[in-house]
């Protein structure tokens, strides 16, 4: 594990918690939430990725993991997809919101996998490093709990539990394939439906 990057992102978590706390109270909640995510993407993840060698020395090749892991990822995404479709039945979203959701999904899924599974983990990471990376990944989601006025399906348990399940599956995929290509694809797919559901639950 890259200890310097791990310590840096650990220090950023309370700062992000403050950003989400104040942004969702000084702006309409969903807009404040998006602002907090933008700070996370462009003021935390992107600088850390550049600091630790940039985007070029990460393996992006799409390699499929073992069938059981492929099936678990598909089941996770399908579950969130169904929830998003149900939400869209009651709260249809305009095209510009769906476009914003798609952009956010691509940015978040890509940057998170490049940093958390690409930069933070080395190819020879042992179980301790894998576990610490997963704990930190789940831990950053605690900052999201400081957002005010934002409805998240399942509440804190759903948010942290989803991060734990997704993070575990994508870490396994990274170990099996030696690449972040598959985990990026799955993470973006999950975010596409999760962010859609978030938008249906929280009108602008």
């Amino acid at each position: 594990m890259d200890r310097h990057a791990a310590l840096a992102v650990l220090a950023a978590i309370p700062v992000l918690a403050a950003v989400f706390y104040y942004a969702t109270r000084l702006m309409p909640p969903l807009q404040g939430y998006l602002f907090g995510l933008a700070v996370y993407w462009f003021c935390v993840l992107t600088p850390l990725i550049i600091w630790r060698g940039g985007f070029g020395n990460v393996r992006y090749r799409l390699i499929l993991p073992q069938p059981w892991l492929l099936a678990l990822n598909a089941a996770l995404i399908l579950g969130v997809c169904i929830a998003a479709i149900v939400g869209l039945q009651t709260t249809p979203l305009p095209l510009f919101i769906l476009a914003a959701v798609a952009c956010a999904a691509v940015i978040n899924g890509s940057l998170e996998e490049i940093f958390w599974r690409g930069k933070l983990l080395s190819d020879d990471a042992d179980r301790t490093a894998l576990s610490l990376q997963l704990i930190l990944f789940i831990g950053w989601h605690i900052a999201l709990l400081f957002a005010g006025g934002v409805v998240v399906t399942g509440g804190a348990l759903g948010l942290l539990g989803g991060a734990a399940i997704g993070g575990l599956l994508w870490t396994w995929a990274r170990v099996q394939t030696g690449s972040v290509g598959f985990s990026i694809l799955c993470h973006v797919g999950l975010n596409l439906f999760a962010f859609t559901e978030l938008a249906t639950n929280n009108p602008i």
Side-chain angles (χ1 to χ4, degrees), residues 71-196:
L72 286 176
N73 274 281
L76 177 62
I77 295 170
L78 179 61
V80 181
C81 174
I82 292 171
I85 291 172
V86 170
L88 285 171
Q89 299 304 308
T90 56
T91 312
L93 297 175
L95 187 58
F96 79 93
I97 295 293
L98 291 174
V101 163
C103 287
V106 171
I107 293 169
N108 189 73
S110 300
L111 286 178
E112 285 208 314
E113 290 309 311
I114 291 168
F115 175 73
W116 291 104
R117 259 66 70 177
K119 290 295 181 181
L120 209 53
L121 289 179
S122 59
D123 290 336
D124 59 349
D126 58 18
R127 289 186 179 181
T128 300
L130 295 172
S131 299
L132 287 175
Q133 175 269 144
L134 184 58
I135 290 169
L136 279 173
F137 179 68
I138 298 168
W140 114 253
H141 287 79
I142 294 173
L144 298 172
L145 300 179
F146 286 80
V150 177
V151 178
V152 178
T153 301
L157 184 60
L159 180 65
L160 299 181
I165 294 170
L168 182 60
L169 294 179
W170 302 326
T171 299
W172 264 336
R174 164 72 168 86
V175 170
Q176 284 190 13
T177 66
S179 169
V180 296
F182 178 77
S183 58
I184 287 176
L185 185 65
C186 292
H187 200 151
V188 169
L190 181 73
N191 282 169
L192 180 63
F193 299 118
F195 290 171
T196 297

Side-chain angles (χ1 to χ4, degrees), residues 57-76:
N57 60 349
V58 175
R59 286 196 283 278
Y60 298 100
R61 185 181 174 190
L62 180 58
I63 304 171
L64 297 182
Q66 294 177 6
W68 64 268
L69 186 51
L70 189 63
L72 286 176
N73 274 281
L76 177 62

